[in-house]
Amino acid sequence: MAKQNMTGDKSAVGKRNSGKRYYTYRKVNRRSALLPIQEKESVRVAFLGGMNEIGKNMTVYEYKDDMFILDCGIAFPGDELPGVDLVIPDFTYIEKNADKIRGLIITHGHEDHIGGIPYLLKKVNIPIYATKLTIGLIKGKLAEHGLLQSTKLVEINPRDNITLGSFNIELIHVNHSIPDAVGLAIRCPAGILIHTGDFKIDTTPVDGDMIDLTRFAEYGKKGVLALFQDSTNAERPGYTMSEKTVGESFENLFRKAGRRRIVVATFASNIHRVQQIIDVARRLKRKVAVVGRSLENLVQVGEELGYLNVPENILINIDNIKNYADENLVIITTGSQGEPMSALTKIAFGEHRKVVASPNDYVIISATPIPGNEKMVANVVNELMKHGIEVIYEKMYEVHVSGHACQEELKLMMGVIKPKFFIPVHGEQKHLRKHAQLAQAMGYGNSNIYVGSIGDRIEISEDSVKYVDSVPSGEVYVDGIGVGDVGDIVLNDRKRLSQDGLIVIVATIDSYSGEIQSGPDVVSRGFVYVRENEELMKCARNLATKIIEDTYDSRYKDWNSVKSRLRDEISRLMYEKTKRSPMILPVLMEI
């Protein structure tokens, strides 16, 4: 708890008594008695993800000995992480404070907010609080990891209140690209904090349930200490279009498709988009087939919980599409971001076992490429077009709208909530900085804005928002069933193998005489084609023979010296001859 700065007179801090507050005493003047001045309450917030990055959202709120976690997401690896399946937050800080964690609250069911939950629960077992659809999606993940029976899941609704230690949290309904998304009003002795979660202001939402601006405004009248607001679209001027505009575009494009088979690629979690596709397909008397495991799971959960209205007999199994004419089919698929293993990519490259691309297809990519995915999406579009397929992907067709607020909505929310301090969250540095500029335009000074980074732990009181320290944070890589066993050394090896390949030197040595009994053989993988580079391989064998004969000592058997010299000398030879540096792997055996 921060101490007040005193000048002039001496001060002393009173002792903490059970159930009592800190007091700071000072002399008002020489003749006056000592008067108690109550020290300001403060709340601390640690960012374990979602800052200076897109995805992997995770935040910890702390008041004295009580903590709760908001969201626990994943990020998907880029080209710089070869072989990695998922990226999750570093849970070190959570494990260290496990006895103080009162629960985990989830704002909505997107992967960048729920994907890391199974991995967290394997470290600490804590109750999870979320809305109905979000709980349904979380259950599927926990069942896959064998954690469903051991996890406490608490279903909550907008305007419900949760008490977690010193925190009382109210959920507030917001619009996003998935139903049941919420923001939070967090009350504690230090004041009221608002976290918007991912949101936009949609006055004509598909589900008819507009964002609860009234409740945000009521908190604004009470006085909000700090606002944590979604920064994803902070660079985009104006307002985000309503999801209903996409439904109108689908209607026009589906009719334009004529007698062709329609294939729509969208985000697997966008249940509103799926509903609109089904609605238009029903009106045009087309059957709908769903392709992609995550999309199939969403449709199943959405239908079971009543978030998807699926007319009877409209959904068909993907195995049965061969029984229907192209003009009677709509296929909804994953792969809107050009992911290599997605259904749309496999269809485009002729690798899908059940859907074969044909010139009579009409493909709609109902998504905007996430920054960094543009090339992958372009590759899929180009491959589809090679089949003579018409592909609709340009923005002018309005086949996608964002689930995040643009600049005018962000300013409107700031104006409604009127926080004392403003902290932009959920975005890369450019998004956070642009969002901070919007706050400045709204009249906030630099001292009332905090642009944080992953790992920052900040303290907010009535007087200030300030950096306290840094907590363990960063990236943990999931590769297959391994979690955290792939680090920088392994990734560097993978990158080197992908760039320059591998040379293996294999030899068998007599343990008594030290003579080479077999080899050395030189094996190349991903470096050069051996049959066309026999002279180079011969030079490598001769050099390896000389090194082993000169270095190996049958009495001391210093294998490390032999292997080290083999790596250095063979690497030098390969670079001189090819200007490339393959990985050198010596394999020496004794008989």
Side-chain angles (χ1 to χ4, degrees), residues 160 250 256 266 274 280 297 341 369 389 419 489 492 530 561 576:
D160 281 354
F250 280 150
K256 184 181 174 184
T266 188
V274 173
V280 177
N297 180 58
M341 300 305 293
I389 297 170
I489 294 175
N492 287 336
V530 175
S561 295
E576 288 175 358

Side-chain angles (χ1 to χ4, degrees), residues 24 176 319 373 388 420 447:
T24 302
H176 191 39
D319 293 322
N373 288 357
K420 185 167 187 179
S447 60

